[in-house]
Amino acid sequence: MNARANILGRLKAAPGRPGPDLPPWTPPSYADKLARFRQMAEANHAEIHDVTASNWPERLASILNNRGLRSLMIAPGTPRGDALLQAAAQGVPLPPLVPYDRAVEALKDALVHQVDAGLTGTRGAIAETGTLILWPTAQEPRLLSLLPPLHIAVLEEDALHDTLAAAVRDQGWAAAGMPTNALLISGPSKTSDIEQTLAYGVHGPKELIILLVKKGE
């Protein structure tokens, strides 16, 4: 205790040093935050499409048909899944929609061998790193974003946060009843071998498409 008291005493007695003369910090503007997210997401091989709340099913149909996709797995009972089911019923030329509506054991073969793409929502995104935040649920499980070759994520533009710390703070994660595994997704799957060569799409989605729903539209 004497040694500890001596050390603390010397620290307290040491003369203070003035800090550097730094300019006042100002948070980035909304435009800067959005530009940063785009830059980082695209650097991580994600593909971003600007959409609106009313036209995104039609835009998605065009994107998927241009790629020749045969099927899309969705989560019925979620806003996104129900919007696509309604759009298909109204004649929007979407590829066949495969519902995630059974136990994983019954859907495993479809997920691994038959479904070309999986669609999920997002909890938000992190501008600093171009990262999506997903909170899987029983209706919209993590397998939808992990197994199909193409992951399609719907992101509301006003759910963009500067940093992970800002997202945790602003969304109140500590009190929000977090899922057993929150997912942070930066681009399609990637891995690096012993020579540090980065490869994409080796053990997960080969592509990531982000449908960025514009604010107020």
Side-chain angles (χ1 to χ4, degrees):
M1 292 297 294
N2 288 336
R4 178 176 180 275
N6 289 336
I7 292 172
L8 291 175
R10 288 198 299 270
L11 289 173
K12 291 177 181 179
R17 296 181 179 179
D21 186 15
L22 297 176
W25 182 83
T26 55
S29 68
Y30 172 76
D32 291 339
K33 183 164 57 176
L34 182 58
R36 171 72 177 186
F37 173 75
R38 287 182 177 277
Q39 176 188 23
M40 297 305 296
E42 291 173 349
N44 284 319
H45 292 212
E47 182 179 318
I48 300 177
H49 294 268
D50 292 320
V51 298
T52 67
S54 60
N55 76 3
W56 74 265
E58 290 81 3
R59 289 291 308 280
L60 178 60
S62 176
I63 293 166
L64 298 185
N65 288 326
N66 287 339
R67 291 168 174 262
L69 263 68
R70 300 166 300 170
S71 58
L72 170 64
M73 183 166 276
I74 62 169
T78 65
R80 296 153 298 279
D82 289 348
L84 289 186
L85 288 170
Q86 181 178 5
Q90 294 172 347
V92 175
L94 288 156
L97 302 177
V98 181
Y100 195 109
D101 58 0
R102 288 169 286 163
V104 63
E105 290 77 11
L107 291 170
K108 187 183 301 183
D109 186 66
L111 274 166
V112 175
H113 300 296
Q114 300 173 22
V115 172
D116 290 336
L119 178 108
T120 72
T122 59
R123 175 85 177 186
I126 302 165
E128 181 182 43
T129 54
T131 301
L132 298 175
I133 304 169
L134 272 65
W135 281 26
T137 65
Q139 283 182 306
E140 196 173 87
R142 66 195 299 259
L143 292 180
L144 270 176
S145 66
L146 296 180
L147 285 183
L150 170 61
H151 175 206
I152 302 161
V154 180
L155 171 65
E156 301 288 341
E157 196 178 64
D158 57 3
L160 194 58
H161 302 272
D162 295 331
T163 63
L164 175 59
V168 171
R169 181 194 65 233
D170 297 343
Q171 296 186 358
W173 286 22
M178 291 179 62
T180 54
N181 55 336
L183 302 181
L184 301 177
I185 297 176
S186 301
S189 69
K190 43 190 163 299
T191 189
S192 183
D193 62 17
I194 197 169
E195 296 181 353
Q196 299 183 4
T197 301
L198 191 62
Y200 288 83
V202 175
H203 49 67
K206 301 179 187 302
E207 297 178 275
L208 170 63
I209 290 178
I210 301 171
L211 300 179
L212 187 62
V213 182
K214 304 296 287 183
K215 286 174 56 176
E217 297 184 21

